[in-house]
Amino acid sequence: ATSDILATMPPKKEQAPVTTPEVEELVALPEDVGPVPDASFCLALGHLFGHSFLVQPSALPEDPEGACGDDAAPPAPIKFDPKAVLLERAKVPATSQEDLLAKSVMVVEREELQALAKTPEGEDMPLAYGLKQRLEKERVARSRAKINAARRKALEIAEAAKAVGDADEVGVEESAAGAGDHQPNEPAAAKADFLLLSTDYPANVEELQELAAEGLCSNEIIDVWAAVYLAGETIELGGADGKPLVDDDGLGDGPKLIPMETPELVRGFYDAVQGAPIGSELSGFAICTIRDSNTLCLAPEGSSSAEHVQGAVLSALGAEASSRKLFSTWVQAAQKISVPKIDPQKGDARLYHRMMSSIDTWHHDIPIFLHCLTEQVERTLGGEAQRHEDEVALGSLMEYLGVACDGVITDGGGSAPKPKLRYASAEQLSSPEQPQQQSTNDVDGGLLLPHLDRTVCNHHLGHRGGEAVINGESVAIIARRVLDEVVVAGSRRNGLPKDSNFSRAQRESLAYRLYPFAPQLSSAELEQLMLHHAFEELLSKAQPERRGKWCLVDRCFRERIPHDLVAQTLGAALQAEPLVSTAHVPRHDALLVALHYRSPGGRLMWHAWRGDLFTEPGAEDWASGLFTTPTYNDWAQVFGGRSGEAPHPRLLLEGFDSREFGYAGVFEKMATPPDGSVILVTRSEIGLSCSFPSPSNEVPGGPGTESADRAERRSALDDGASSVTTATVAAGRASPFAEAFSTLRAARCDVPPARVSRTARVFKDGLVFGIVSDKSFEAWRHDVADRMARAAAAAEGVVAAEGADEEGAVCHDEGGEGSSDKEAHTDAFVAASPPFEGASLGSLWISLPGGARCSARMHHESALGKFPVSLADPPRALPEMGVLFTYTMFAGQVIQVFGDGSVCLSWPLELCEGTLQHEVNGAPAVVAVTAGSDPNAHAGCRIKTGFIPGSPEDCEIERTITPSGTLCRRLVSGRIEVYHADGTAASRNPTLPELRARMDSLRCRPGGAAKHILEFLERLQKVYSEKHLEPLLASPSDLEKAAGLPGHWVVVRPDGLVFGRVTPLQECISSIASNAGANEGGADACGSEGAAAGDVGGG
């Protein structure tokens, strides 16, 4: 009967699972219980990725004695998927609010997000909106639950204390305060409190960017947003039986493990983070890689593998959240320095261009450049740059118009000057009298120039035709004023104590104490010996690896340098890039400065300097320097901020991404051969190619991931890699920041830099020279490949055209297949490697003491026609070629000697547009002077030739002399003039398209150096457009032929005969051919057109 009753009862209704937590009421605290700090709550949003691994069971079960011998087979591998284990645990439904709030990990799927992605009005929203709504509910409910738990614990402690009867008010308050998780100023908990896993959203990079646009971290909805990648190794199976392979590295007899490949979506997320701009939500997206997650199957005793995986994931996210809080504090503590943004359309650099172009290029050095640049920046920041330059231009124009009016009134009695936009300032134009220039002779105090004052020597002796001035001020005075602001060792007590240890009388007393002990020496000799001894001690400390003591008794030459020339003298000495060591001598209150090289003969020495965020802790730069702004990922992993020992900068450059402008470093390898030369190999790095290592199971910087560049960097930075304890290393170990720096370096990940430059230089007897790779040779190889490809395509086109004429309609039907074969053949050739595979050429460069440079490389351009163009067998051996020697003067002139013996001399455009002011009839005039010609040849005359190629304004920019005596001149307009040794002369004027291309190239030149040349070409183009825009339809006049037609060669023989020659354009040939084939008399028509073309070009 009982069983019948049970059978007829309805089945028990299952309780619906609870998915959304509800917000609890805040637990009230009585007055006798002190305030309880709100417990910290860490909410994480994660996207889980992993693999299914084959793992070896940890141990076999206990066998009966004798059941298993030594030859027992190892247990078969089992599958372990940590991702599936964690998701299975997280998807267990909760039956009550208590069970739901007790869960640390939950899963939200796309279907749930689609249901939440609706506004209260029922409007559909993106899935990111629904995920944001879910996270807000989870944070409010779970943080309230944790606060209530802390308050309930405080009540229990207080009630227990009262029950015992030995609790006073202070004890109750302390117990209540201890109920919280931690004090507000303490770091966050080690584990994340709750993790919401979004399994199938985002499914691509676009959805990741959509989720980042919601600003979940910036709005403090979540504490950490990361992708959790469970990386690891799996057992490799092989053979026909599919058994595990044995590891053959000789370290053991275990199974062979191979790393699993990173999922494609994780790599896509990684690339998206690297390309995210600074300050964006996506740039702070973290990828937590849990390496060797295949070992998580070995759970501790008393816990399951699911609990072990969950604990590892929550610990990684908790550490990430703690690091993110440190980063926020680090950034907020620094003062932000913003660089003013200037609209390029409103920016005005005319003052800089006018000041730089007002002097010869001989005077263009670093002090003058800084002076002109700072003047322009100051004027721009003041908002007066455009108005001031408009006044200058207007004043010059009014002067020009006034002189031109006087010329009209006097019927051409005077010459009107062109507007002087390059010379006069607004103050000079507004005043009738020019201010008197200060001469450099007033600076040096006489006609003789001191050799130590390099500024006066360069700017006074190097000027032609008088003293160079900028806005009425001497260039030498400007350069000296800039150099006076340079801080070097010893100037303005740099490197010395702020106050002297002894007074002047005390220092003299200390000096006199030594004199009685050396009566045979004069005071000057004794002082010199004391200085020698001090320098020997300084160098011994700087180079402890040097065997034997220093001996400087042979340094008998002594030269006094005026205090205002110390910066110039040290600046010139530092151009050889020595190491600088200093020491303070109290008995003289002086600073010893030793310039030396630390590499003994036969040994290499490494040196490294790092700046920006790689500056060592404790350096003064952290308090006074400017630093770029990092993103969270590179701050935590490359800078090492997650270690908690990161130094805090006082100033941060807002908007300057450290991944692009920061993390600078210089690594130098130095050798000093016995011949007295110095060899320096310098590697400069800046920026980061990635903000953190790529997610994989490999440990960053492990033994299998180190490249040659990283090995060099590690050798330069590792103190233990040095064979001796240098003074720098010893000082670093004794520093109070040594332990912090060691912790910081251990937390850093080594990633490749964004930009790298490597140079090798040799210093020998005042010369600096080196060899670099000839990059022009690689470009030339690809150019040869393109020429061969075009030749192959043209040959195929001819063959196809002949086949079409022979086969007719049949070939027309099969034309698609034929064209495909042709394209395949051409593509196969283009895809082939360029010729001369494996060949590499270099270039030797030498820097001379006077500022000139020369280089020598193989003249591979001359060998272009010395090998056959073949599709089947491209050339591999280099043909014979000469050497191209280039000599560049300090002022910019370039002399080149080609492989065939030709010599080419070219001038920079700054020199080509050089002008001289002449006083003609009391009015200043500006006359253009061709580079290399007599500047007085055009004085007092007016140019009446107009704007045509070959006029005096069309200055020469290049001339070439061949071994046969032929002279070739190239003018700025593009006109070419050739003068042969037998008296024959030829010239060719540019065409209108060539002239336009020339103008486009000049507009792209920075600095506005070709401003006046561009003005001349614009007027020349206007004349060309009026006369030669349309094709020639009739025979030109004799005057037009003599002046030169665009694109036509005019040849003048020694006997007076004049010939014209022109290469017709391809479109003209096609047009003539089509017109000729349209009628029966095609041949006659073509002949007549050819005759007409000959008449056009003839003389």
Side-chain angles (χ1 to χ4, degrees):
T2 304
S3 61
D4 293 341
I5 294 175
L6 291 176
T8 57
M9 290 180 62
K12 202 170 188 180
K13 188 175 180 181
E14 295 183 1
Q15 188 173 0
V18 181
T19 58
T20 305
E22 296 179 358
V23 183
E24 301 177 355
E25 294 291 337
L26 185 64
V27 175
L29 293 176
E31 295 181 357
D32 56 346
V33 178
V36 179
D38 291 342
S40 64
F41 179 76
C42 179
L43 174 60
L45 172 63
H47 314 288
L48 192 62
F49 301 91
H51 307 280
S52 178
F53 305 101
L54 285 177
V55 298
Q56 191 79 17
S58 59
L60 291 174
E62 293 292 340
D63 290 338
E65 186 176 348
C68 295
D70 295 338
D71 297 334
I78 61 175
K79 289 186 177 181
F80 174 66
D81 190 348
K83 174 184 175 182
V85 169
L86 181 58
L87 291 179
E88 182 180 359
R89 176 182 176 86
K91 290 181 180 180
V92 175
T95 57
S96 63
Q97 284 290 329
E98 291 75 11
D99 294 342
L100 182 64
L101 294 176
K103 292 176 68 67
S104 299
V105 181
M106 290 192 65
V107 177
V108 59
E109 297 181 348
R110 184 178 289 265
E111 291 76 9
E112 300 179 44
L113 296 179
Q114 290 175 350
L116 294 172
K118 292 183 180 296
T119 61
E121 292 79 12
E123 182 182 356
D124 292 334
M125 299 294 289
L127 297 181
Y129 177 83
L131 183 57
K132 181 180 179 181
Q133 301 299 318
R134 173 67 182 272
L135 289 169
E136 289 177 345
K137 294 179 181 179
E138 294 284 354
R139 184 169 194 88
V140 173
R142 293 182 180 274
S143 60
R144 176 63 61 82
K146 189 171 183 179
I147 293 174
N148 285 343
R151 293 193 168 202
R152 293 190 188 99
K153 186 176 181 180
L155 290 175
E156 293 176 0
I157 295 174
E159 291 175 358
K162 287 182 178 180
V164 177
D166 57 351
D168 54 8
E169 184 178 356
V170 178
V172 172
E173 291 181 358
E174 292 179 354
S175 301
D181 247 6
H182 65 284
Q183 296 296 332
N185 295 330
E186 293 181 357
K191 288 187 177 183
D193 294 294
F194 179 71
L195 169 62
L196 183 63
L197 289 174
S198 179
T199 55
D200 49 2
Y201 177 79
N204 48 50
V205 176
E206 289 74 17
E207 291 183 347
L208 182 72
Q209 295 173 348
E210 173 188 292
L211 184 56
E214 291 293 333
L216 300 177
C217 290
S218 58
N219 295 328
E220 298 183 353
I221 299 176
I222 58 177
D223 298 287
V224 59
W225 178 34
V228 181
Y229 174 44
L230 301 172
E233 298 176 326
T234 185
I235 297 176
E236 184 179 8
L237 302 179
D241 53 358
K243 293 183 178 180
L245 298 178
V246 179
D247 194 359
D248 55 356
D249 58 358
L251 301 179
D253 56 355
K256 185 176 182 181
L257 301 177
I258 56 174
M260 300 295 288
E261 187 177 357
T262 307
E264 183 178 356
L265 189 56
V266 176
R267 293 198 300 267
F269 287 176
Y270 175 79
D271 295 337
V273 174
Q274 306 308 322
I278 185 174
S280 63
E281 189 85 3
L282 190 56
S283 65
F285 178 76
I287 299 181
C288 296
T289 304
I290 301 178
R291 298 179 176 86
D292 297 328
S293 58
N294 53 302
T295 61
L296 295 178
C297 63
L298 305 176
E301 186 177 356
S303 63
S304 62
S305 58
E307 294 175 349
H308 193 32
V309 174
Q310 177 176 300
V313 172
L314 293 179
S315 298
L317 292 176
E320 200 72 30
S322 177
S323 177
R324 189 175 291 274
K325 287 185 177 181
L326 290 176
F327 174 68
S328 300
T329 305
W330 187 87
V331 173
Q332 293 173 3
Q335 180 183 353
K336 310 302 185 300
I337 302 297
S338 59
V339 178
K341 295 183 179 180
I342 300 176
D343 188 0
Q345 303 297 332
K346 298 181 180 179
D348 197 320
R350 287 181 290 175
L351 174 62
Y352 169 79
H353 297 322
R354 179 166 55 83
M355 296 176 68
M356 289 294 290
S357 59
S358 64
I359 57 176
D360 197 293
T361 54
W362 182 272
H363 304 283
H364 287 183
D365 56 3
I366 294 179
I368 298 301
F369 162 75
L370 291 176
H371 170 73
C372 299
L373 183 63
T374 52
E375 289 290 324
Q376 178 66 72
V377 171
E378 181 181 7
R379 190 69 57 81
T380 302
L381 294 179
E384 300 292 330
Q386 187 172 1
R387 182 189 62 80
H388 182 272
E389 292 305 313
D390 289 342
E391 291 179 357
V392 173
L394 182 60
S396 178
L397 179 61
M398 294 300 295
E399 182 185 3
Y400 169 72
L401 294 178
V403 176
C405 181
D406 295 340
V408 173
I409 295 175
T410 59
D411 195 15
S415 61
K418 297 179 182 178
K420 307 189 302 298
L421 298 181
R422 303 171 53 195
Y423 297 97
S425 62
E427 294 79 4
Q428 292 173 324
L429 293 173
S430 59
S431 59
E433 298 182 357
Q434 296 290 336
Q436 186 176 1
Q437 301 175 0
Q438 184 178 3
S439 174
T440 53
N441 295 335
D442 299 336
V443 178
D444 54 39
L447 297 178
L448 297 179
L449 299 176
H451 70 282
L452 289 178
D453 196 345
R454 290 174 172 80
T455 300
V456 176
C457 293
N458 293 340
H459 294 292
H460 184 82
L461 298 179
H463 187 69
R464 299 171 299 178
E467 189 169 0
V469 294
I470 298 179
N471 288 348
E473 189 175 10
S474 171
V475 172
I477 297 177
I478 294 175
R480 176 176 288 186
R481 185 168 62 247
V482 174
L483 289 175
D484 288 342
E485 301 297 328
V486 177
V487 178
V488 296
S491 67
R492 303 177 185 176
R493 299 196 66 85
N494 181 36
L496 285 85
K498 185 177 181 180
D499 298 321
S500 177
N501 298 333
F502 304 103
S503 64
R504 184 181 183 87
Q506 290 175 332
R507 292 196 300 269
E508 292 179 354
S509 176
L510 289 175
Y512 288 138
R513 289 181 182 179
L514 297 176
Y515 296 160
F517 295 95
Q520 70 278 11
L521 298 176
S522 64
S523 59
E525 292 176 335
L526 184 60
E527 291 295 338
Q528 184 72 10
L529 291 177
M530 294 295 295
L531 286 178
H532 283 175
H533 180 68
F535 271 110
E536 290 171 357
E537 289 185 344
L538 172 61
L539 291 174
S540 298
K541 292 180 181 179
Q543 299 188 21
E545 69 274 7
R546 182 184 178 94
R547 296 181 180 179
K549 295 184 178 180
W550 285 85
C551 184
L552 302 178
V553 293
D554 57 339
R555 306 297 177 95
C556 57
F557 181 76
R558 186 173 182 178
E559 182 179 10
R560 294 184 177 273
I561 302 174
H563 65 88
D564 55 341
L565 301 180
V566 172
Q568 297 186 44
T569 306
L570 282 180
L574 292 176
Q575 291 182 358
E577 300 190 22
L579 298 176
V580 181
S581 299
T582 60
H584 178 237
V585 182
R587 64 182 290 269
H588 293 287
D589 190 26
L591 185 71
L592 303 182
V593 182
L595 310 181
H596 60 97
Y597 299 99
R598 276 191 48 205
S599 178
R603 186 185 300 179
L604 297 178
M605 297 293 291
W606 286 96
H607 302 92
W609 297 268
R610 281 196 159 184
D612 194 58
L613 296 178
F614 280 148
T615 305
E616 293 188 7
E620 297 180 357
D621 293 342
W622 290 106
S624 59
L626 288 172
F627 294 85
T628 57
T629 304
T631 63
Y632 164 71
N633 285 296
D634 61 271
W635 177 88
Q637 302 200 43
V638 179
F639 175 54
R642 59 184 176 182
S643 64
E645 300 292 344
H648 291 259
R650 191 175 70 88
L651 303 173
L652 283 180
L653 280 170
E654 192 173 15
F656 281 76
D657 194 345
S658 297
R659 297 173 297 177
E660 184 177 1
F661 305 104
Y663 298 104
V666 176
F667 307 91
E668 186 177 84
K669 180 168 57 175
M670 180 172 58
T672 52
D675 61 351
S677 61
V678 179
I679 303 175
L680 290 179
V681 180
T682 305
R683 175 185 172 89
S684 303
E685 301 177 353
I686 189 170
L688 299 176
S689 60
C690 56
S691 54
F692 58 96
S694 177
S696 66
N697 197 58
E698 295 181 353
V699 179
T705 60
E706 189 173 50
S707 62
D709 295 337
R710 293 184 181 181
E712 291 183 357
R713 188 187 305 112
R714 182 179 56 82
S715 299
L717 293 174
D718 189 7
D719 298 340
S722 178
S723 58
V724 294
T725 304
T726 62
T728 305
V729 174
R733 291 175 180 174
S735 172
F737 301 95
E739 184 177 355
F741 189 35
S742 177
T743 306
L744 187 66
R745 289 177 60 176
R748 288 176 175 174
C749 296
D750 193 9
V751 298
R755 295 179 299 278
V756 178
S757 64
R758 191 184 187 97
T759 57
R761 289 156 294 167
V762 180
F763 298 86
K764 175 69 173 177
D765 297 334
L767 299 178
V768 184
F769 56 92
I771 298 179
V772 296
S773 177
D774 189 1
K775 296 182 179 179
S776 63
F777 175 68
E778 295 298 325
W780 177 71
R781 289 178 59 225
H782 291 282
D783 181 63
V784 171
D786 294 340
R787 290 171 180 265
M788 298 170 69
R790 288 195 295 268
E796 291 289 342
V798 172
V799 173
E802 293 177 355
D805 293 338
E806 294 176 0
E807 298 182 9
V810 177
C811 185
H812 176 73
D813 295 337
E814 299 177 356
E817 182 179 356
S819 61
S820 300
D821 294 340
K822 171 191 170 183
E823 292 176 0
H825 186 73
T826 304
D827 293 342
F829 176 75
V830 173
S833 59
F836 315 119
E837 189 68 27
S840 178
L841 298 181
S843 176
L844 171 68
W845 59 270
I846 302 176
S847 178
L848 303 177
R853 300 174 66 92
C854 60
S855 62
R857 66 172 178 86
M858 302 304 295
H859 193 197
H860 45 73
E861 294 88 351
S862 63
L864 186 60
K866 294 184 178 181
F867 53 86
V869 177
S870 174
L871 287 174
D873 186 18
R876 296 185 178 275
L878 286 173
E880 295 183 359
M881 58 183 73
V883 176
L884 173 61
F885 179 83
T886 304
Y887 176 75
T888 305
M889 303 180 189
F890 179 77
Q893 297 95 329
V894 179
I895 301 176
Q896 290 181 303
V897 181
F898 300 104
D900 59 352
S902 302
V903 180
C904 176
L905 174 63
S906 58
W907 294 270
L909 294 181
E910 292 83 354
L911 294 182
C912 293
E913 69 166 0
T915 57
L916 294 177
Q917 290 187 353
H918 300 272
E919 293 295 331
V920 181
N921 297 331
V926 178
V927 180
V929 179
T930 303
S933 62
D934 184 9
N936 298 320
H938 300 282
C941 65
R942 299 185 61 183
I943 300 172
K944 301 181 180 180
T945 54
F947 293 97
I948 60 173
S951 62
E953 290 90 350
D954 194 4
C955 47
E956 177 183 344
I957 62 175
E958 179 182 297
R959 66 169 55 190
T960 304
I961 304 175
T962 66
S964 60
T966 301
L967 172 64
C968 303
R969 299 177 68 240
R970 186 182 298 273
L971 307 184
V972 71
S973 64
R975 175 183 171 90
I976 301 175
E977 298 177 356
V978 182
Y979 303 94
H980 296 277
D982 61 352
T984 304
S987 62
R988 178 188 181 274
N989 289 339
T991 61
L992 187 59
E994 292 173 351
L995 185 61
R996 290 172 177 170
R998 175 67 174 164
M999 294 172 58
D1000 293 339
S1001 64
L1002 291 179
R1003 290 191 182 99
C1004 298
R1005 287 177 59 90
K1011 178 179 180 181
H1012 297 274
I1013 292 180
L1014 188 60
E1015 179 183 356
F1016 163 71
L1017 294 181
E1018 288 176 350
R1019 301 194 179 191
L1020 181 60
Q1021 181 195 12
K1022 184 178 180 181
V1023 175
Y1024 256 48
S1025 301
E1026 295 175 354
K1027 295 183 177 180
H1028 309 294
L1029 184 61
E1030 298 294 334
L1032 289 175
L1033 301 178
S1035 180
S1037 63
D1038 294 340
L1039 182 59
E1040 292 176 337
K1041 293 178 182 179
L1045 299 173
H1048 291 232
W1049 280 97
V1050 178
V1051 183
V1052 182
R1053 299 285 296 174
D1055 55 5
L1057 294 179
V1058 181
F1059 299 89
R1061 183 173 44 128
V1062 63
T1063 302
L1065 299 177
Q1066 185 64 33
E1067 52 266 23
C1068 298
I1069 298 177
S1070 303
S1071 176
I1072 294 174
S1074 60
N1075 293 335
N1079 51 71
E1080 187 176 359
D1084 297 336
C1086 185
S1088 63
E1089 292 289 347
D1095 293 339
V1096 170

